[in-house]
Amino acid sequence: MKFFEKYFPETRRFRKFAWIYLCLFLTLFGNLFFRQVWEREDYLEMERMQGQRRIIRPGARGDITDRENNLLIGNRAHYSAALHLELLSKEIWERKVELRRLSYQLKENLLQRTRLSLEDLLQFCNSIDHLRKRGLVLTGKDSSDSHSSLWIGSSKKDFDWKRKREWSATLKPSYFFEGQKFSINGSENRLLACAGGLLSIEFQLDKQGIPIPKVKNTSTSTNWFWSDGGDTDEKFINFTSDGYSLSWEARLSVVCEYLEKVNQLTGRNLDLTMEQLQKHWRQKLVLPLVLCSDLTNHEYAALVERLPPDSPIQVQAQAVRHYPEKSLASHVLGYVGSGYESNPETLSGSDLATFELQGRTGKAGVEKTFDTLLRGRDGGDIWIVSPMGSRFERLERQPSQKGNTLRLTLDMNLQSIAEDSIDRMVAKVAQQRILPDKDWARTLERRTSRALIGSDETEVSAELLLSAFKDAPFPLNETQASTVAGFKGTPTDAKRLLKLLYAQGVLKKGNSNPESYQIAPPPPPPGAAVLIDLQNFEILVLASKPNYDLSSLTPFISQAAYDEIQRREAWLPRAWHPGYTPASPFKLVTALAGLRNKSIDIDEKLLCEGIYRGMKCHVHPAQHGELDLRQAIAQSCNVYFFRCAEKMGHEKLIKEAKDLGMGKKIFLDLPELKDSPIVPDPEWKKKNIGVNWTMEDTFNISIGQGGLRQSPLQMASFVAKLATNLRMVSPTLLLNSKNMPTSTNALIDFSSQKAIVEGMVSATTEGTARRCQIKNLTIAGKTGTGQWRNHNMKLNLAWFVGFAPAHAPRVAISVLVEGVIPQDQVQGGLTAAPVARDLLEAYFAKYPDTLSSSNTRL
């Protein structure tokens, strides 16, 4: 033995293994060295990208002011109560344990029962706090030939439709009263009831749609079976005990508790669904969950004062748009909305997963046109996140910056006077109406018919629905309306339809109860006014009525605010919308064309007998007799301009109108509208109407009728050209933009211009525009009353255009008032001229030096 150990020592047997282990160790060490040293930077980069997140915060938008630096749009703090989910890990875990225990208790309780109906299950949910809060969710599918409906006693319950045929309904225990029965019509014979995410039970429905109770077969086991027999191995109660489902239930339960605290402190009644929580958790866990937004001062104080400092609920602030003047110049200013795209090029962490706080982008008005100028510079934070994805530690912060200030040419005081004057005038027109109006009633029937086509109420006629409201002695809510008018759907279906009719102007809300409705009267007539400074062609006033309260569109546009604006047809910027017949103010274009083409002479007199070639003058059956150009403009004689157009020919008249820019849109610092101004010609008429041009068409356009379509801004620009005798002017909304006309060519010779201006002065002193007179101020003006069709009704348009002072022009003006129903008494001299007087009087009262310092151009 000693001999063997001497020549064959024990250690020799382990040398081979030692070398093998040494090689393995060296390999492992080398690999670890390679990973830790050689590839260290790569793994650090991977760790950084996996463990860090970037949050982009948009900068506050810049201010918008008028020419005198009065604030039109600014920013205010928008406070929200946000829940930091990363601080709830312990509470969620404890709640998950509680729910697991509760699940086992429910299982033991229910397995002891021998019979269970849907009504019993709902009563059972009422005895468990978690189930009472979460409710009982029923799900099923439509049968192939009908539409499902759920009835609790005699009340119909609404469904939430998931897909085309799948529906669900959430029942709270408070819905159910003892003795009520459930029935489901038009559904497949299987119904799944899920209680609080902890258990689900499948019921079958009998032929009447009543859920069949479950009966326990005690002779075999603790399994439950259908009462009418079936497979003895089928369990119908599925108890939730997996960690995934319980985790979501625990999260929702904890978050809803904090939401309940916020509701108690603010007095609100907000709710949070599982779908909303899951969406935020999966997509935006690094961001706080907003529980309550747009806090009032009282709500903000209550939360800050009564929430503990270490509460997961924190009040956060964000800059949103502030409109101190509410609805003033709303169409010009515009509003902001969703769709913001950040510009993170100047921020670090471009390779990290990025989350953005919601920003706002311009959607209308100068907010949209100058969005790039107004938007602020984005800021950002870089956070270390936990393995779950929630925030852990902030590494870097880059502050955001406010956008640039935009200064407009508008004069806030004059804009307000113009809008107030239009409001007063249209209120007078509305007061003179005799209601109910048959034409308006037909309009309401057409709108109601269109709304019914898009609903499920195919058996209710527009006449029946409207008669229910007409005959009712008081405003009706959705339940009363559905009973009277014979709705087939639920009260919620009726409420949805009534809201649609409200948005279309068919109904209005009751004075005492905003949830009730009655037939809406015709809205007040719309109007518009434009005032242009002739020294630099800056727009001082650009008013459109009806307008809308911009403060109702921030921080977001609610459906109620949208419907309110829609029903008043207030989205349309009438001041620069080219959709109106220019009427008699266009006679100035005809006069201009006749003089430029030598078709008429200044002093030449033409005979007006009240009618010419079948076309009547506005004084028919009376007549003007013989008039020269000045008298024709002052008296707005149609026949004079018929004869002028006949001498000139339609080609020259149309060419002159197009040369004046009336066939093209005016470039303005506002979003471009779809509609374009129209100067009709034979080709246009053939293409759009399908008939040839006639002398009647020539006569019509000579007095501003026919297919002519212009905007108040277009007409104000035209009289600005006439006042300054310039062929081209470029109105602007930007202060000090140096937007002077690109051409200084004279529009017409001095004597011709003087004759036209004298005719316009006569119109304001002794003609159709007498109601525009202002003491110690000579005004050159022209009124007009046009006819057009809108909402299938023949309506009137009232116009006034002009400039002042007449022989040293400083401002050009255009005013329009629309009729809404045929009986609206809108006329140029009666309706539009007084608005122009108010605006001009305010301008020269504010700038009295313009009267003495004006440089005479004539």
Side-chain angles (χ1 to χ4, degrees):
M1 189 67 176
K2 293 180 180 180
F3 177 82
F4 185 82
E5 290 178 355
K6 178 180 179 181
Y7 291 98
F8 298 98
E10 186 71 19
T11 57
R12 292 182 58 186
R13 286 183 291 175
F14 297 100
R15 290 175 183 172
K16 185 180 294 184
F17 292 100
W19 282 106
I20 293 175
Y21 288 141
L22 178 61
C23 291
L24 292 176
F25 176 77
L26 291 174
T27 302
L28 178 61
F29 178 80
N31 189 47
L32 290 176
F33 179 83
F34 179 77
R35 300 293 187 191
Q36 295 291 330
V37 179
W38 190 264
E39 294 186 338
R40 178 175 179 273
E41 297 297 330
D42 294 338
Y43 279 95
L44 288 175
E45 181 64 16
M46 292 173 62
E47 178 189 14
R48 185 185 69 85
M49 295 181 63
Q50 185 176 1
Q52 296 182 16
R53 298 291 184 270
R54 181 174 65 164
I55 301 176
I56 295 180
R57 291 174 286 100
R61 293 177 68 86
D63 298 336
I64 299 178
T65 67
D66 76 341
R67 64 190 301 110
E68 297 176 336
N69 277 325
N70 295 309
L71 185 65
L72 297 175
I73 302 181
N75 297 296
R76 67 173 176 88
H78 170 256
Y79 295 104
S80 302
L83 182 63
H84 292 260
L85 300 175
E86 66 272 11
L87 303 178
L88 305 179
S89 301
K90 183 178 179 180
E91 293 182 61
I92 292 175
W93 173 256
E94 293 174 351
R95 187 61 50 82
K96 181 178 178 181
V97 174
E98 293 176 7
L99 292 179
R100 185 182 294 276
R101 291 173 182 169
L102 177 61
S103 178
Y104 288 127
Q105 293 175 4
L106 296 177
K107 180 177 181 180
E108 294 176 2
N109 189 313
L110 290 177
L111 290 178
Q112 292 176 2
R113 297 178 178 235
T114 58
R115 184 181 184 278
L116 186 66
S117 65
L118 185 60
E119 293 82 359
D120 295 333
L121 180 59
L122 192 59
Q123 288 182 338
F124 177 74
C125 292
N126 195 31
S127 64
I128 308 297
D129 184 65
H130 176 76
L131 301 184
R132 182 171 58 252
K133 292 179 179 179
R134 292 281 283 122
L136 185 68
V137 180
L138 305 181
T139 57
K141 288 186 177 181
D142 275 350
S143 60
S144 58
D145 57 348
S146 62
H147 199 64
S148 299
S149 58
L150 170 63
W151 294 84
I152 305 176
S154 59
S155 301
K156 192 174 182 181
K157 180 74 173 65
D158 295 303
F159 284 151
D160 295 323
W161 295 95
K162 295 182 178 180
R163 296 182 180 86
K164 185 175 181 180
R165 293 179 54 202
E166 296 184 9
W167 56 265
S168 69
T170 301
L171 303 181
K172 297 290 185 180
S174 58
Y175 291 166
F176 178 75
F177 300 97
E178 189 173 355
Q180 288 183 323
K181 294 296 183 181
F182 291 89
S183 63
I184 302 175
N185 300 331
S187 178
E188 293 183 353
N189 64 348
R190 289 184 179 270
L191 173 70
L192 183 65
C194 181
L198 299 183
L199 60 93
S200 58
I201 304 177
E202 188 178 87
F203 291 93
Q204 281 191 338
L205 305 177
D206 62 14
K207 294 182 180 180
Q208 286 74 35
I210 300 175
I212 301 174
K214 310 299 286 191
V215 177
K216 181 179 179 182
N217 190 340
T218 57
S219 63
T220 57
S221 66
T222 59
N223 291 346
W224 287 77
F225 310 100
W226 295 108
S227 58
D228 55 353
D231 187 355
T232 59
D233 293 328
E234 180 183 5
K235 293 182 180 179
F236 91 100
I237 302 183
N238 179 28
F239 295 95
T240 301
S241 59
D242 63 284
Y244 180 79
S245 298
L246 289 179
S247 294
W248 282 114
E249 288 297 328
R251 291 164 183 166
L252 181 63
S253 178
V254 172
V255 171
C256 285
E257 283 189 1
Y258 282 101
L259 178 59
E260 188 175 350
K261 291 182 182 179
V262 173
N263 285 335
Q264 292 175 355
L265 294 175
T266 61
R268 300 194 186 190
N269 188 26
L270 303 173
D271 195 11
L272 181 72
T273 65
M274 178 67 80
E275 291 75 15
Q276 292 172 328
L277 177 63
Q278 288 178 339
K279 181 179 179 180
H280 180 88
W281 198 284
R282 290 167 176 166
Q283 300 178 6
K284 302 178 181 179
L285 185 58
V286 72
L287 301 177
L289 174 63
V290 176
L291 300 178
C292 181
S293 62
D294 202 16
L295 299 173
T296 64
N297 294 337
H298 177 75
E299 293 170 340
Y300 170 81
L303 289 174
V304 171
E305 181 179 348
R306 301 180 64 179
L307 285 175
D310 58 346
S311 172
I313 302 175
Q314 298 293 327
V315 177
Q316 60 186 23
Q318 182 182 3
V320 298
R321 289 313 242 174
H322 169 57
Y323 306 94
E325 301 301 326
K326 305 298 183 179
S327 60
L328 186 71
S330 56
H331 296 92
V332 178
L333 300 178
Y335 55 91
V336 294
S338 59
Y340 180 85
E341 294 183 3
S342 62
N343 183 19
E345 296 179 357
T346 60
L347 303 177
S348 59
S350 59
D351 54 348
L352 298 176
T354 300
F355 298 85
E356 298 182 19
L357 297 179
Q358 189 176 25
R360 289 288 183 264
T361 187
K363 292 294 184 180
V366 294
E367 285 272 29
K368 180 178 181 179
T369 306
F370 299 99
D371 182 69
T372 303
L373 175 72
L374 292 170
R375 62 177 289 168
R377 182 178 178 182
D378 297 327
D381 299 341
I382 295 180
W383 286 81
I384 296 177
V385 297
S386 66
M388 187 175 60
S390 59
R391 294 191 294 186
F392 178 72
E393 180 184 359
R394 184 164 59 191
L395 294 177
E396 182 181 332
R397 180 179 181 86
Q398 292 180 265
S400 59
Q401 297 180 7
K402 186 177 180 180
N404 297 314
T405 297
L406 179 66
R407 195 173 175 189
L408 302 180
T409 63
L410 294 182
D411 187 302
M412 187 177 74
N413 296 330
L414 296 178
Q415 179 82 18
S416 178
I417 289 170
E419 294 184 7
D420 291 344
S421 179
I422 294 174
D423 283 337
R424 289 193 300 271
M425 180 55 66
V426 300
K428 290 180 180 179
V429 174
Q431 289 174 358
Q432 296 174 357
R433 294 169 175 166
I434 301 176
L435 299 178
D437 183 82
K438 295 181 179 179
D439 296 284
W440 180 246
R442 286 192 292 268
T443 299
L444 295 184
E445 288 182 6
R446 287 191 293 268
R447 294 182 180 181
T448 305
S449 298
R450 289 196 298 267
L452 288 171
I453 293 175
S455 69
D456 295 328
E457 302 296 337
T458 55
E459 299 182 13
V460 179
S461 66
E463 294 79 5
L464 177 61
L465 177 58
L466 293 176
S467 64
F469 286 94
K470 292 176 183 177
D471 299 335
F474 50 81
L476 304 176
N477 59 29
E478 64 273 6
T479 303
Q480 296 165 335
S482 62
T483 302
V484 175
F487 283 98
K488 299 300 182 182
T490 65
T492 302
D493 296 328
K495 185 176 183 179
R496 188 180 304 112
L497 177 59
L498 296 184
K499 282 186 175 181
L500 176 60
L501 294 176
Y502 173 79
Q504 294 184 353
V506 175
L507 302 176
K508 71 172 186 176
K509 293 185 178 180
N511 297 328
S512 59
N513 183 8
E515 296 299 324
S516 62
Y517 300 91
Q518 59 191 99
I519 295 295
V530 181
L531 187 68
I532 300 177
D533 188 333
L534 296 180
Q535 299 301 303
N536 43 33
F537 303 104
E538 293 174 347
I539 299 175
L540 303 176
V541 172
L542 196 59
S544 298
K545 299 291 290 187
N547 51 6
Y548 46 88
D549 187 354
L550 290 169
S551 61
S552 68
L553 306 181
T554 183
F556 56 87
I557 304 174
S558 65
Q559 186 63 46
Y562 180 88
D563 291 344
E564 181 63 31
I565 299 172
Q566 181 74 15
R567 72 179 304 274
R568 297 187 298 112
E569 299 182 0
W571 291 115
L572 186 65
R574 290 171 168 82
W576 65 94
H577 181 262
Y580 301 104
T581 298
S584 292
F586 193 83
K587 293 173 181 177
L588 300 176
V589 178
T590 305
L592 195 66
L595 293 173
R596 283 176 52 82
N597 290 280
K598 310 299 183 183
S599 300
I600 57 173
D601 186 75
I602 295 174
D603 299 317
E604 179 184 2
K605 292 189 176 183
L606 301 178
L607 178 63
C608 169
E609 297 178 322
I611 189 171
Y612 183 71
R613 290 183 176 267
M615 300 284 286
K616 297 178 182 179
C617 187
H618 66 87
V619 296
H620 182 79
Q623 57 182 326
H624 285 113
E626 290 189 343
L627 304 95
D628 60 15
L629 177 64
R630 301 174 183 85
Q631 294 170 328
I633 294 175
Q635 300 301 321
S636 194
C637 176
N638 289 350
V639 172
Y640 180 93
F641 293 99
F642 291 159
R643 292 179 177 274
C644 176
E646 183 181 28
K647 286 185 175 183
M648 179 173 26
H650 68 271
E651 297 91 349
K652 294 180 180 179
L653 177 58
I654 293 171
K655 181 179 182 301
E656 188 64 34
K658 291 182 177 181
D659 289 344
L660 288 169
M662 291 189 161
K664 298 179 181 179
K665 295 179 181 179
I666 294 179
F667 176 79
L668 200 61
D669 304 307
L670 290 169
E672 185 174 342
L673 300 177
K674 293 181 179 179
D675 297 323
S676 298
I678 299 175
V679 177
D681 54 26
E683 182 181 354
W684 176 90
K685 185 181 179 183
K686 187 69 175 179
K687 179 180 178 181
N688 290 274
I689 304 179
V691 296
N692 294 324
W693 190 271
T694 64
M695 182 60 71
E696 182 180 354
D697 298 312
T698 304
F699 286 176
N700 274 328
I701 65 170
S702 70
I703 59 172
Q705 294 291 148
L708 280 166
R709 292 295 181 269
Q710 301 292 306
S711 69
L713 177 62
Q714 200 96 20
M715 297 305 294
S717 298
F718 163 67
V719 292
K721 295 174 183 178
L722 185 60
T724 57
N725 200 23
L726 294 174
R727 179 158 285 276
M728 183 177 295
V729 299
S730 300
T732 181
L733 275 171
L734 289 184
L735 192 67
N736 300 323
S737 64
K738 298 180 181 180
N739 195 22
M740 297 301 290
T742 57
S743 174
T744 57
N745 294 335
L747 180 65
I748 198 172
D749 63 87
F750 176 80
S751 59
S752 297
Q753 184 206 23
K754 182 179 179 182
I756 294 176
V757 172
E758 288 174 350
M760 295 174 68
V761 171
S762 297
T764 61
T765 56
E766 56 188 31
T768 57
R770 293 188 302 275
R771 288 177 176 82
C772 189
Q773 294 181 31
I774 299 175
K775 186 177 180 180
N776 299 325
L777 178 65
T778 305
I779 301 172
K782 182 73 186 77
T783 61
T785 304
Q787 288 77 42
W788 70 322
R789 294 195 67 85
N790 193 23
H791 300 309
N792 291 321
M793 293 182 284
K794 187 176 180 180
L795 306 174
N796 285 349
L797 290 173
W799 281 95
F800 177 89
V801 299
F803 50 87
H807 301 293
R810 291 303 301 261
V811 289
I813 189 171
S814 173
V815 175
L816 167 73
V817 179
E818 300 180 38
V820 174
I821 54 178
Q823 63 170 290
D824 281 344
Q825 299 298 316
V826 294
Q827 299 178 19
L830 294 174
T831 314
V835 176
R837 180 197 59 218
D838 293 344
L839 185 52
L840 291 174
E841 194 171 39
Y843 172 81
F844 288 105
K846 184 173 183 179
Y847 303 104
D849 58 317
T850 57
L851 287 173
S852 58
S853 62
S854 296
N855 295 320
T856 304
R857 288 195 176 97
L858 297 180

